[in-house]
Coordinates of all heavy atoms in Angstrom, one line a residue:
M904 N 14.5 -10.6 -25.9 CA 14.6 -12.0 -25.6 C 13.3 -12.6 -25.1 O 12.4 -11.9 -24.7 CB 15.7 -12.3 -24.5 CG 15.3 -11.8 -23.1 SD 16.6 -12.1 -21.9 CE 15.8 -11.5 -20.5
P907 N 11.0 -18.0 -20.0 CA 10.0 -18.2 -18.9 C 9.8 -16.9 -18.2 O 8.8 -16.7 -17.5 CB 10.7 -19.2 -18.0 CG 12.2 -19.2 -18.3 CD 12.2 -18.8 -19.7
E908 N 10.7 -15.8 -18.3 CA 10.5 -14.6 -17.6 C 10.1 -13.4 -18.5 O 10.2 -12.3 -18.1 CB 11.7 -14.3 -16.8 CG 12.0 -15.3 -15.6 CD 13.1 -14.8 -14.7 OE1 13.8 -13.9 -15.1 OE2 13.2 -15.4 -13.7
T909 N 9.9 -13.7 -19.7 CA 9.5 -12.6 -20.6 C 8.3 -13.1 -21.5 O 8.0 -14.3 -21.6 CB 10.6 -12.2 -21.6 OG1 11.0 -13.4 -22.4 CG2 11.8 -11.8 -20.9
A910 N 7.5 -12.1 -22.0 CA 6.4 -12.4 -22.8 C 6.8 -12.1 -24.2 O 7.1 -11.0 -24.6 CB 5.2 -11.5 -22.4
T1009 N 0.9 -11.4 -15.3 CA 1.5 -10.6 -14.2 C 0.4 -9.9 -13.4 O -0.7 -9.7 -13.8 CB 2.5 -9.5 -14.8 OG1 1.8 -8.7 -15.6 CG2 3.6 -10.2 -15.5
A1214 N 5.5 0.8 -16.5 CA 6.9 0.3 -16.3 C 7.0 -1.1 -16.8 O 8.1 -1.4 -17.5 CB 7.2 0.4 -14.8
N1215 N 6.1 -1.9 -16.6 CA 6.2 -3.3 -17.1 C 6.0 -3.3 -18.6 O 6.6 -4.2 -19.3 CB 5.1 -4.2 -16.4 CG 5.7 -5.4 -15.8 OD1 6.9 -5.6 -15.8 ND2 4.9 -6.3 -15.3
T1217 N 7.1 -1.1 -20.7 CA 8.4 -0.7 -21.2 C 9.3 -1.9 -21.2 O 10.1 -2.2 -22.2 CB 9.0 0.4 -20.4 OG1 8.2 1.6 -20.6 CG2 10.4 0.7 -20.9
R1218 N 9.3 -2.7 -20.1 CA 10.2 -3.9 -20.1 C 9.7 -4.9 -21.1 O 10.6 -5.5 -21.8 CB 10.1 -4.5 -18.7 CG 10.5 -3.6 -17.6 CD 10.5 -4.2 -16.2 NE 11.5 -5.3 -16.1 CZ 12.8 -5.0 -15.7 NH1 13.2 -3.8 -15.4 NH2 13.6 -6.0 -15.6
W1219 N 8.4 -5.0 -21.3 CA 7.9 -6.0 -22.3 C 8.4 -5.6 -23.7 O 8.8 -6.5 -24.5 CB 6.4 -6.1 -22.2 CG 5.7 -7.0 -23.1 CD1 5.9 -8.3 -23.2 CD2 4.8 -6.7 -24.1 NE1 5.1 -8.9 -24.2 CE2 4.4 -7.9 -24.7 CE3 4.1 -5.5 -24.5 CZ2 3.4 -7.9 -25.7 CZ3 3.2 -5.5 -25.5 CH2 2.8 -6.7 -26.1
T1221 N 10.9 -3.9 -24.6 CA 12.4 -3.9 -24.8 C 13.0 -5.3 -24.5 O 14.2 -5.5 -24.6 CB 13.0 -2.9 -23.8 OG1 12.7 -3.2 -22.5 CG2 12.6 -1.5 -24.2
G1222 N 12.1 -6.3 -24.2 CA 12.6 -7.6 -24.0 C 13.2 -7.9 -22.6 O 13.8 -8.9 -22.4
A1223 N 13.0 -6.9 -21.7 CA 13.6 -7.1 -20.3 C 12.6 -8.1 -19.5 O 11.4 -8.1 -19.8 CB 13.7 -5.8 -19.6
P1224 N 13.1 -8.7 -18.5 CA 12.2 -9.6 -17.7 C 11.1 -8.8 -17.1 O 11.3 -7.7 -16.6 CB 13.2 -10.2 -16.6 CG 14.6 -10.0 -17.2 CD 14.5 -8.8 -18.1
L1225 N 9.9 -9.3 -17.1 CA 8.8 -8.7 -16.5 C 8.8 -8.8 -15.0 O 9.3 -9.8 -14.4 CB 7.5 -9.3 -17.1 CG 7.2 -9.0 -18.5 CD1 6.0 -9.8 -19.0 CD2 7.0 -7.5 -18.8
F1226 N 8.2 -7.8 -14.3 CA 7.9 -7.9 -12.9 C 6.7 -8.7 -12.6 O 5.8 -8.7 -13.4 CB 7.7 -6.5 -12.3 CG 8.9 -5.6 -12.4 CD1 8.7 -4.3 -12.9 CD2 10.1 -5.9 -11.9 CE1 9.8 -3.4 -12.9 CE2 11.2 -5.1 -11.9 CZ 11.0 -3.8 -12.4
N1227 N 6.7 -9.4 -11.5 CA 5.4 -10.0 -11.0 C 4.8 -11.1 -11.8 O 3.6 -11.2 -12.0 CB 4.4 -8.9 -10.7 CG 4.8 -7.9 -9.7 OD1 5.9 -8.0 -9.1 ND2 4.1 -6.8 -9.6
I1228 N 5.7 -12.0 -12.4 CA 5.1 -13.1 -13.2 C 4.5 -14.1 -12.2 O 5.1 -14.6 -11.3 CB 6.2 -13.7 -14.0 CG1 6.7 -12.7 -15.1 CG2 5.7 -15.0 -14.7 CD1 7.8 -13.2 -16.0

Side-chain angles (χ1 to χ4, degrees):
M904 69 179 182
E908 294 188 348
T909 60
T1009 59
N1215 233 4
T1217 296
R1218 299 181 71 84
W1219 180 59
T1221 58
L1225 291 174
F1226 294 130
N1227 300 350
I1228 293 178

